[in-house]
Amino acid sequence: MHKNLTTLAARFSVLALAAAACAAQAGTLVINTDASDPAPKAAWEAMAKGFMAANPDVTVKINTFDHEGFKTSIRNFLSAEAPDIVTWYAGNRMAPFVNAGLFEDVSDVWTKENLGTQLKSAAASMTQKGKQWGVPYTYYQWGIYYRKDIFAKNNIAVPKDWKELIAASAKLKAAGVTPFAIGTKALWPTGGWFDYLNMRVNGYEFHMDLTAGKVPYTDKRVQEVFDRWDDLTKPGYFLANHASYDWQDALPAFVKGEAAMYLMGNFAVDPMKKGGLTEAQLGFMQFPKINNVPMAEDAPTDTIHIPAKAKNKVDARRFLAYAASAKVQGEVNAILGQLPVNKDATKPTDVYLKDGFAMLSNAYALGQFYDRDAPAEMAKAGMEGFQRYMVKPETRKEVLERLEQVRQRVYK
């Protein structure tokens, strides 16, 4: 009898442990996000609803913060009352949390779900110390939007390399058309130019090393970037008085045909169309090749992470796998009006998103944009310097010397 009671007790104990394990896997999944704008909020609600339908043992609870509030509080809640899932950004913006041990290594999810293949273009920007620390779920392309009609009128083919781009710019300038629209009053558009010139001249790895503070701004390889920038600034190929314009203020010149190209993110397409441009007039092209380096692109990427101190890591991993899937990424990005990172997702129907999807799916790697990849103080000084140089190219030497002083202070 005693033996039977002991056996029953042992069995009960095993069952209790199994039940506890199931309870740990089930229950509530807490997500902290800054998806406070209408489209992102709707996308996250749809993702949560879909996940709960596929996993009825889990209840998802979303805490939505405003953008600035989220940025200032994320380190606190990662360190103290950590949620199970948190949204953030790829590349160097992710590094401080990885280095502080606040993000969970999710390389196992990448291996199990074959994400290295499906999310190939974003793999480098999600990898630190040889491991993956989250999954990307949405991004958008940067590139050169151009006036097809003006190119045709001046018998200009879409430039495939730097030599062709400079030749096209010279031809446009001679025809009385400013080659490039730009507004640098808010500084950040200069970051796009620096990103692309540096990634095309020196490659993605060098660009990431520079924005991580590992390379002096006075390095000869940075000088070569400005040599190429000189090819555009010195002949006057940018919109005059651009320092007095925000990026939207430069749109009328592009819409009216006074300027023929605009390096910008895909969010510019809507105001370009609202300004009156049709698909017959508006084209998109990849930033042309300069040196023989793999073609990386700027594609600011939103990401999903598991905090190291999360309570429900089992369901959090299930959520990461769900959010990384081709089907879910296609559905979510249809709501967002952006691009799925999963290359097997349903292709967008919008012509510009379709071009962006093809380009980014085949990209070597993704820059996150200068003011995401570099720390805030360096990014501010950098973009102030880029603007000053674009207005007065003769200040190049002192601009780079100043940026080197800032680099030495910021990355101590």
Side-chain angles (χ1 to χ4, degrees):
M1 183 69 178
H2 178 72
K3 184 181 177 184
N4 287 342
L5 284 170
T6 304
T7 303
L8 284 168
R11 285 177 180 170
F12 181 78
S13 179
V14 169
L15 287 169
L17 285 170
C22 286
Q25 290 179 39
T28 304
L29 187 72
V30 179
I31 299 175
N32 284 12
T33 173
D34 67 342
S36 54
D37 296 330
K41 192 172 184 181
W44 271 93
E45 286 170 356
M47 196 156 27
K49 188 177 178 183
F51 180 75
M52 287 189 286
N55 301 275
D57 57 329
V58 185
T59 300
V60 176
K61 182 178 185 294
I62 299 177
N63 298 318
T64 305
F65 296 72
D66 68 85
H67 301 299
E68 291 309 311
F70 190 77
K71 286 176 188 174
T72 55
S73 60
I74 182 170
R75 184 172 282 273
N76 291 336
F77 63 64
L78 287 175
S79 304
E81 285 297 310
D84 303 306
I85 294 284
V86 65
T87 55
W88 196 239
Y89 310 105
N92 286 349
R93 285 291 294 277
M94 183 177 75
F97 298 130
V98 172
N99 294 335
L102 295 173
F103 279 170
E104 176 92 350
D105 171 11
V106 293
S107 304
D108 56 319
V109 179
W110 279 70
T111 301
K112 184 181 176 185
E113 304 296 330
N114 192 30
L115 299 184
T117 300
Q118 295 178 63
L119 309 177
K120 185 181 177 183
S121 63
S125 57
M126 296 307 301
T127 302
Q128 306 264 349
K129 304 176 183 178
K131 299 172 182 177
Q132 289 74 50
W133 302 91
V135 297
Y137 70 98
T138 184
Y139 56 14
Y140 64 89
Q141 84 260 27
W142 270 68
I144 297 174
Y145 293 87
Y146 70 98
R147 290 290 301 270
K148 290 180 182 178
D149 50 342
I150 297 173
F151 271 46
K153 183 181 177 182
N154 290 281
N155 198 27
I156 297 170
V158 174
K160 293 291 190 289
D161 59 30
W162 193 246
K163 184 179 177 183
E164 290 179 8
L165 184 70
I166 298 306
S169 297
K171 203 167 187 179
L172 288 164
K173 181 83 171 174
V177 178
T178 299
F180 283 100
I182 189 172
T184 65
K185 185 178 179 180
L187 301 178
W188 59 262
T190 66
W193 273 99
F194 180 76
D195 285 354
Y196 267 107
L197 288 166
N198 195 25
M199 288 193 293
R200 291 291 184 266
V201 169
N202 294 308
Y204 172 79
E205 287 80 7
F206 178 86
H207 183 65
M208 297 310 290
D209 281 348
L210 181 75
T211 52
K214 298 175 184 176
V215 180
Y217 275 80
T218 49
D219 187 286
K220 66 179 182 181
R221 291 166 292 183
V222 181
Q223 297 288 355
E224 189 184 345
V225 172
F226 280 78
D227 288 344
R228 298 289 69 77
W229 217 340
D230 278 351
D231 293 340
L232 299 173
T233 54
K234 289 187 172 178
Y237 290 163
F238 289 106
L239 198 62
N241 305 314
H242 56 76
S244 61
Y245 302 140
D246 279 326
W247 76 270
Q248 299 100 319
D249 299 330
L251 282 172
F254 183 72
V255 170
K256 291 176 187 173
E258 295 164 5
M261 293 179 278
Y262 205 156
L263 175 65
M264 191 47 66
N266 194 63
F267 52 82
V269 169
D270 186 55
M272 287 173 180
K273 285 182 174 178
K274 283 177 177 170
L277 293 181
T278 65
E279 288 181 6
Q281 294 171 299
L282 182 63
F284 174 80
M285 64 171 150
Q286 184 178 32
F287 196 99
K289 187 183 186 72
I290 299 180
N291 288 345
N292 191 28
V293 295
M295 300 278 272
E297 308 297 333
D298 257 352
T301 306
D302 290 354
T303 54
I304 306 170
H305 306 268
I306 302 175
K309 293 185 178 181
K311 294 180 180 70
N312 190 358
K313 293 182 181 180
V314 172
D315 289 335
R317 279 177 158 78
R318 290 162 74 188
F319 187 86
L320 257 61
Y322 175 82
S325 68
K327 180 177 181 292
V328 173
Q329 292 218 348
E331 292 168 352
V332 165
N333 281 282
I335 298 170
L336 290 169
Q338 295 195 160
L339 293 169
V341 184
N342 191 312
K343 69 178 182 63
D344 298 326
T346 304
K347 292 176 177 59
T349 54
D350 174 86
V351 63
Y352 307 103
L353 286 175
K354 196 183 293 183
D355 287 348
F357 184 78
M359 180 182 79
L360 295 184
S361 293
N362 293 297
Y364 169 71
L366 306 174
Q368 295 306 302
F369 205 79
Y370 185 75
D371 63 0
R372 284 191 183 188
D373 284 325
E377 189 180 351
M378 186 73 244
K380 182 176 183 292
M383 294 185 298
E384 285 171 352
F386 302 155
Q387 185 209 49
R388 185 170 184 223
Y389 156 77
M390 289 186 73
V391 173
K392 294 182 176 179
E394 66 274 13
T395 64
R396 164 180 159 174
K397 184 175 184 291
E398 64 186 83
V399 163
L400 290 175
E401 286 172 353
R402 158 81 177 137
L403 294 188
E404 176 53 20
Q405 289 172 0
V406 175
R407 183 192 74 89
Q408 290 179 21
R409 184 176 72 249
V410 168
Y411 299 94
K412 277 181 182 175

